Amino acid sequence: MQNARHIFGVFADYLGQYFKTRLAYRADFFGDLVSNLVYELINLVFIIVVFQHVPLLKDWTRDEIIFIYGFFLIPYALFSMFFSFWDFNERYIIRGEMDRILTRPLHNLAQVCLESMAPDRIFGVISGLIIMGYAAFKLDLSFHWYDPLVFVVLVIGGALIYAGVYTAIAAISFFSDSRTGIAPMIWNIQQYGRYPVDVYNKVIRFVLTYILPFAFVGVYPAAYFLRKETWYTYAAFTPVMGVIFFGIGLAVWNWGVRKYRGAGS
């Protein structure tokens, strides 16, 4: 309990410093917010344009796809707030910042997450909720009293899947000093999770379900709220997959830290 309080205290300090730094350049801060919003709107427009020519996508309607996309944005936004590892290899391995991290008492992964924190990504959650709300209104969806709790559990499960996958990918840097990594490729693969998996062939469905389980951050949990009973079992396994893959990512990370020998010659 005391250790948890310490971590939350450090988190509050980092959060305060983050906003002091970012708001020192307000135009840049709000420019990033606008660019993120525009990017999400472009993806939404793409879906709308596709359905101008294709009325159904494997029995999924346009508004159902839009609902899935909205849900997809939320766990990703929560993940990217704390696990922005895109420059991990360059910053912590090539430049030797990991040596500094390992001299401090707080767990090394927690420190990296705090230093990579991007609270402005919370606007991705707001965008996702707005998109989901629009689609739910168009679909005339009804919800049970316990659905908000289910929603929170599924979102946390999806965020943990992201965290586990990208933590494991970042840990690969401990074994290699290459400036290029596979994170961009994985990022492209994760985009498939915002579409129904039954539109893909069996190999892709297997990969998106069991190898890189990005179907659990989009279509599977969203299918629960869309009342697609075929996918209920998969939706229920979303938090389980989140715990499993985050555990795997943490294990790979700890293994990599033990193998790390520093940036010196």
Side-chain angles (χ1 to χ4, degrees):
M1 180 63 71
Q2 187 174 4
N3 190 44
R5 289 177 183 172
H6 177 62
I7 291 176
F8 280 115
V10 175
F11 167 77
D13 292 337
Y14 268 97
L15 190 63
Q17 291 300 318
Y18 171 86
F19 280 111
K20 288 179 183 178
T21 303
R22 294 289 281 140
L23 292 177
Y25 303 93
R26 290 179 176 82
D28 179 67
F29 177 73
F30 290 108
D32 282 346
L33 294 183
V34 171
S35 64
N36 289 334
L37 179 61
V38 169
Y39 173 77
E40 290 159 4
L41 289 176
I42 289 174
N43 285 321
L44 181 59
V45 169
F46 172 78
I47 294 173
I48 293 173
V49 169
V50 167
F51 276 90
Q52 295 295 324
H53 305 280
V54 182
L56 290 173
L57 189 63
K58 193 70 175 181
D59 298 327
W60 296 79
T61 67
R62 184 195 70 174
D63 293 326
E64 288 174 337
I65 301 294
I66 290 175
F67 186 92
I68 294 171
Y69 176 64
F71 187 96
F72 175 86
L73 291 176
I74 297 173
Y76 179 73
L78 292 177
F79 149 76
S80 58
M81 284 175 61
F82 302 103
F83 291 84
S84 186
F85 288 167
W86 310 116
D87 63 343
F88 175 80
N89 194 18
E90 176 71 22
R91 178 179 177 183
Y92 289 95
I93 305 301
I94 304 299
R95 298 180 185 174
E97 289 291 301
M98 196 65 197
D99 293 358
R100 171 180 58 82
I101 292 293
L102 293 176
T103 63
R104 297 177 175 178
L106 192 65
H107 190 275
N108 43 80
L109 179 58
Q111 290 185 66
V112 173
C113 290
L114 289 171
E115 292 189 352
S116 305
M117 194 165 50
D120 53 295
R121 300 294 175 86
I122 192 65
F123 287 94
V125 174
I126 298 172
S127 300
L129 289 172
I130 292 172
I131 292 171
M132 288 178 62
Y134 163 79
F137 174 77
K138 298 288 287 185
L139 292 166
D140 194 25
L141 294 179
S142 60
F143 300 99
H144 304 298
W145 65 268
Y146 50 81
D147 281 343
L149 177 60
V150 174
F151 173 78
V152 171
V153 172
L154 294 179
V155 165
I156 292 174
L160 286 175
I161 289 172
Y162 276 126
V165 170
Y166 283 100
T167 297
I169 291 171
I172 295 174
S173 300
F174 291 121
F175 304 94
S176 171
D177 60 359
S178 173
R179 291 179 179 271
T180 59
I182 63 172
M185 180 184 70
I186 302 300
W187 187 87
N188 288 326
I189 293 175
Q190 83 180 28
Q191 302 304 311
Y192 290 97
R194 68 187 188 190
Y195 298 107
V197 290
D198 51 350
V199 304
Y200 306 124
N201 62 41
K202 292 182 179 179
V203 174
I204 295 178
R205 287 203 301 269
F206 181 83
V207 170
L208 291 176
T209 301
Y210 301 108
I211 308 301
L212 295 170
F214 293 123
F216 286 95
V217 302
V219 59
Y220 288 155
Y224 167 79
F225 300 102
L226 293 171
R227 308 309 174 198
K228 301 284 186 177
E229 296 184 5
T230 305
W231 307 106
Y232 276 10
T233 301
Y234 289 95
F237 270 94
T238 297
V240 177
M241 295 294 284
V243 172
I244 290 173
F245 273 81
F246 183 71
I248 292 172
L250 185 58
V252 175
W253 175 275
N254 289 333
W255 179 36
V257 169
R258 288 194 297 270
K259 296 294 183 180
Y260 180 66
R261 293 294 178 263
S265 59

